[in-house]
Amino acid sequence: MARVLIVGAGLTGSLCAALLRKEASCPLHLSVWDKAGDSGGRMTTASSAHNPQSTVDLGAQYITCTPHFAKKHQSFYDELLAHGVLKPLTSPIEGMVNKEGDCNFVAPQGVSSIINHYLKESGADIYFRQCVTQINLRNDKWEVSKETGSPEQFDIVVLTMPAPQILQLRGDIENLISECQRQQLESVSYSSRYALGLFYEAGTKIDVPWAGQYITSNPCIRFICIDNKKRNIESSEIGPSLVIHTTVPFGITYLEHSIEDVQELILQQLENILPGLPQPVATKCQKWRHSQVTNAAANFPGQMTLHLKPLLVCGGDGFTQSNFDGCVTSALCVLEALKNHI
Ligand SMILES: Cc1cc2nc3c(=O)[nH]c(=O)nc-3n(C[C@H](O)[C@H](O)[C@H](O)COP(=O)(O)OP(=O)(O)OC[C@H]3O[C@@H](n4cnc5c(N)ncnc54)[C@H](O)[C@@H]3O)c2cc1C
């Protein structure tokens, strides 16, 4: 049975796994490895250390579906809506730019539930805290090394991490990337920002008429969202959770500062925007070094095939755009590249 490794349990990796399971014409042994401790990647949902039932989306907030992709990716939307993974966004987000015909969706159980839906569908073996460090060719197979544990061999490898992290991999892969491919991978750029999740005691009232708000007049804060209100899951037993996204200039300026210092600066600015908030019972500050793609790999739409026999392919939003449809497009291109091999 062919052994396939997908590196990255984000949206692209989980979708690749689900599509491979559905479309493969021969039995496959599918594994998904991620260096993080949980699934989601940039679609992560963090739990409060105080009450794990209180959660907050720290990366992607809502899914915007344009009329073009409503048609093109209809089966993906239909499936997620039918399973209750996505629901229409009904709470007001002030300052949101909405083009005519766009629909917005939220994931009531947190945005990472989209990824968990696909991982479950894939039936793959999922391993967390597996940071891939090297990829080498051994007897027409890929030998994949990780930070801890023995290397393992695979017939096909799919990489879905941000482009700079592909370029950090060592071993034979370094020499297999052509000059043109390297230039394209190097040309992929990302914005950087921080996200701060704040969890409050049950019963706390945050008295504002919106669920989310884009801020244009603050050097540090770009977006604030009362996450449980956005997801329409307000409850008297579980306290509200808030997420704050910083501006990109702030993210870049403080990229190498300590997370504690950054959290303090965000909290100080928050006091100017929402004065008098109570003390949160738990917090989670997340650095997004690779937040959203600002320049994709233009010459490799959807995927980049680094090696044919054995197959080594990379995908992700770096080859399309940073949103749900960008990841679906990439996963479909990866599937197309793998089609004759599975
Ligand atoms: C702050 C923020 C807000 C956003 N808002 C929205 C939004 O509202 N709507 C929307 O549609 N999109 C939004 N996005 C974009 C969206 O989240 C991304 O486009 C999407 O999640 C990318 O998925 P991916 O699977 O391609 O990459 P990722 O989610 O980055 O997944 C890659 C995975 O690879 C793992 N990895 C990396 N290196 C290694 C290694 N060496 N070994 C093993 N594992 C590794 C990482 O841990 C990660 O889990 C937002 C993103 C951010 C950061």
Side-chain angles (χ1 to χ4, degrees):
M1 199 189 300
R3 294 195 75 204
V4 181
L5 173 67
I6 295 168
V7 182
L11 181 55
T12 308
S14 64
L15 255 168
C16 284
L19 289 169
L20 276 172
R21 175 66 70 213
K22 225 185 264 173
E23 303 290 332
S25 55
C26 58
L28 295 177
H29 184 268
L30 275 177
S31 301
V32 178
W33 291 3
D34 200 297
K35 66 176 182 173
D38 206 350
S39 55
R42 279 169 281 156
M43 292 200 171
T44 189
T45 304
S47 295
S48 161
H50 184 72
N51 173 7
Q53 283 181 293
S54 181
T55 55
V56 73
D57 291 334
L58 288 178
Q61 295 295 305
Y62 50 84
I63 309 295
T64 301
C65 174
T66 62
H68 171 74
F69 282 115
K71 245 195 218 150
K72 201 167 176 206
H73 294 159
Q74 188 188 349
S75 60
F76 294 89
Y77 284 103
D78 284 353
E79 181 183 318
L80 293 175
L81 286 163
H83 283 85
V85 177
L86 288 185
K87 292 253 164 81
L89 167 71
T90 51
S91 317
I93 309 282
E94 284 185 0
M96 179 168 155
V97 183
N98 240 337
K99 300 214 181 83
E100 207 185 311
D102 284 0
C103 291
N104 295 294
F105 300 102
V106 286
Q109 293 104 50
V111 71
S112 69
S113 64
I114 303 175
I115 283 81
N116 291 333
H117 171 83
Y118 290 127
L119 288 176
K120 195 170 158 207
E121 219 173 54
S122 76
D125 291 332
I126 300 145
Y127 299 92
F128 296 114
R129 298 190 181 84
Q130 302 271 33
C131 183
V132 172
T133 52
Q134 279 200 35
I135 301 185
N136 289 295
L137 263 177
R138 292 269 185 278
N139 309 321
D140 289 333
K141 288 190 192 294
W142 295 115
E143 186 178 78
V144 184
S145 306
K146 48 210 166 152
E147 255 171 23
T148 53
S150 322
E152 290 184 37
Q153 294 203 344
F154 296 91
D155 300 287
I156 298 173
V157 174
V158 178
L159 305 173
T160 70
M161 59 273 241
Q165 292 171 336
I166 295 173
L167 289 167
Q168 277 167 19
L169 296 174
R170 296 292 163 250
D172 293 339
I173 186 174
E174 290 177 83
N175 306 319
L176 296 172
I177 301 178
S178 71
E179 202 37 49
C180 156
Q181 289 176 329
R182 182 173 297 280
Q183 276 175 13
Q184 282 287 301
L185 287 171
E186 281 169 352
S187 75
V188 182
S189 55
Y190 299 78
S191 57
S192 300
R193 60 173 95 236
Y194 283 88
L196 176 61
L198 302 173
F199 303 95
Y200 293 92
E201 200 79 71
T204 306
K205 295 264 175 300
I206 302 173
D207 196 15
V208 290
W210 41 262
Q213 192 182 42
Y214 286 91
I215 313 281
T216 50
S217 54
N218 189 283
C220 166
I221 296 178
R222 173 69 182 115
F223 179 71
I224 302 180
C225 187
I226 302 161
D227 201 63
N228 55 320
K229 196 169 171 184
K230 171 195 81 183
R231 292 192 267 140
N232 240 331
I233 52 157
E234 284 171 290
S235 127
S236 54
E237 279 129 59
I238 302 166
S241 53
L242 216 85
V243 63
I244 295 124
H245 283 171
T246 71
T247 62
V248 173
F250 177 91
I252 292 168
T253 305
Y254 291 95
L255 202 54
E256 307 306 338
H257 285 233
S258 80
I259 211 96
E260 294 78 18
D261 288 355
V262 169
Q263 172 163 328
E264 202 39 51
L265 288 171
I266 301 172
L267 285 172
Q268 279 168 15
Q269 291 295 331
L270 181 66
E271 180 62 22
N272 298 330
I273 299 170
L274 287 179
L277 277 176
Q279 277 291 106
V281 285
T283 63
K284 169 92 180 128
C285 193
Q286 167 85 43
K287 182 191 330 196
W288 294 118
R289 184 181 293 276
H290 305 115
S291 182
Q292 283 122 308
V293 171
T294 47
N295 185 50
N299 297 349
F300 293 87
Q303 61 89 23
M304 182 185 278
T305 301
L306 298 179
H307 197 265
L308 264 177
K309 269 188 180 163
L311 198 60
L312 176 59
V313 175
C314 40
D317 59 358
F319 301 92
T320 51
Q321 53 180 329
S322 276
N323 56 29
F324 179 80
D325 289 296
C327 294
V328 174
T329 303
S330 174
L332 288 169
C333 291
V334 169
L335 184 75
E336 196 55 40
L338 263 59
K339 228 168 195 169
N340 296 331
H341 302 253
I342 48 163

